[in-house]
Amino acid sequence: MSNEVNIKDLIKLNDFDENDVERISFRKFKPSLDIVDPDPTWPSTYAIFASRIITALGPPSSSNGAGPGTGHLASVSHVGSTSVPGLPAKAIIDIDVVVPDINDESAYVSALESQGFQFMLREPKWYGHRFFTADKPMFANVHVWGPACPAAERHRIFKEWLIENVDDRDLYARTKKECSEASKLGGESIQEYNDRKEGVIEGILHRAFKRLGYVE
């Protein structure tokens, strides 16, 4: 399995606790909850953000390149709905960054901030998650994790499953639009919108895990 993630940890869902949040700052601009049609520029926009991250932290550890910060980045990946061709999404690029030591903030926080990423919060009990945002050239969410992180592995599996499975991709598209409209009508936050989708996401992940042989 990628990154040697423990299967029991991987299939254990609902492990996010919103009370486990240490707020660092607040968004300068509030992103929209609108679900928009797929944009063919999303992959190239991700590449812009990825380039900034590599500039900040050095080439990924799997690279043979050298430069300032080399050793502070294990991997960077485009995840979330904008990474799935043909899937409607909020106009926000989601990025997973894996660093060798999530608790060594001196190795990545100021470097990412120097490239325009705003440090928003840390969640020590949720795999040590650190969360950054950016708003140019469009909104981006940057999730920083340590090695062998179940949450990052779920993101990868979910993305690949949606790319390969039209029925679940269509189901997720409908769910996103329905939840977006309900959340906008109720004046809800992005987290409340995410909560509305959770049951469908868990069902899709269960089917992916079953195909991989991780669950019955």
Side-chain angles (χ1 to χ4, degrees):
M1 179 187 298
S2 174
N3 293 328
E4 300 181 353
V5 176
N6 182 281
I7 292 177
K8 289 183 179 179
D9 292 336
L10 178 68
I11 64 177
K12 179 185 176 184
L13 303 180
N14 291 322
D15 47 20
F16 170 73
D17 182 356
E18 63 183 17
N19 295 314
D20 173 38
V21 174
E22 297 179 8
R23 174 66 60 178
I24 306 300
S25 65
F26 292 88
R27 291 180 186 270
K28 298 175 182 177
F29 304 97
K30 184 177 180 180
S32 172
L33 284 174
D34 289 341
I35 303 299
V36 301
D37 291 336
D39 188 330
T41 68
W42 284 339
S44 60
T45 304
Y46 158 74
I48 293 172
F49 287 120
S51 177
R52 292 179 189 172
I53 291 166
I54 292 170
T55 296
L57 304 181
S61 56
S62 60
S63 170
N64 292 322
T70 298
H72 296 317
L73 177 63
S75 67
V76 56
S77 307
H78 188 189
V79 295
S81 295
T82 61
S83 71
V84 178
L87 181 63
K90 298 191 308 297
I92 302 174
I93 303 294
D94 279 293
I95 302 169
D96 273 351
V97 171
V98 176
V99 296
D101 183 355
I102 190 64
N103 293 313
D104 183 9
E105 291 187 353
S106 66
Y108 60 88
V109 170
S110 61
L112 289 174
E113 289 175 331
S114 74
Q115 290 296 316
F117 297 100
Q118 181 185 356
F119 188 17
M120 299 289 295
L121 55 87
R122 66 172 66 89
E123 297 170 281
K125 296 179 183 177
W126 193 44
Y127 311 115
H129 180 231
R130 266 64 168 180
F131 179 62
F132 295 74
T133 61
D135 54 48
K136 294 179 182 179
M138 62 182 286
F139 284 112
N141 293 334
V142 179
H143 307 272
V144 183
W145 314 98
C149 176
E153 183 69 359
R154 285 180 210 135
H155 289 171
R156 183 190 69 79
I157 290 171
F158 191 74
K159 168 186 174 177
E160 292 181 358
W161 179 264
L162 289 182
I163 289 173
E164 296 171 3
N165 291 270
V166 175
D167 289 345
D168 272 343
R169 187 166 67 243
D170 290 345
L171 168 63
Y172 193 46
R174 293 194 303 272
T175 299
K176 288 160 63 69
K177 291 177 180 178
E178 291 168 1
C179 291
S180 171
E181 291 305 315
S183 288
K184 288 189 294 183
L185 188 63
E188 295 177 349
S189 66
I190 286 182
Q191 184 56 55
E192 289 169 314
Y193 159 77
N194 289 335
D195 290 342
R196 285 181 176 273
K197 300 185 300 175
E198 195 62 31
V200 170
I201 290 173
E202 289 182 2
I204 293 172
L205 276 172
H206 182 83
R207 289 188 283 279
F209 292 157
K210 186 174 182 179
R211 175 68 63 85
L212 291 166
Y214 298 158
V215 299
E216 295 297 329

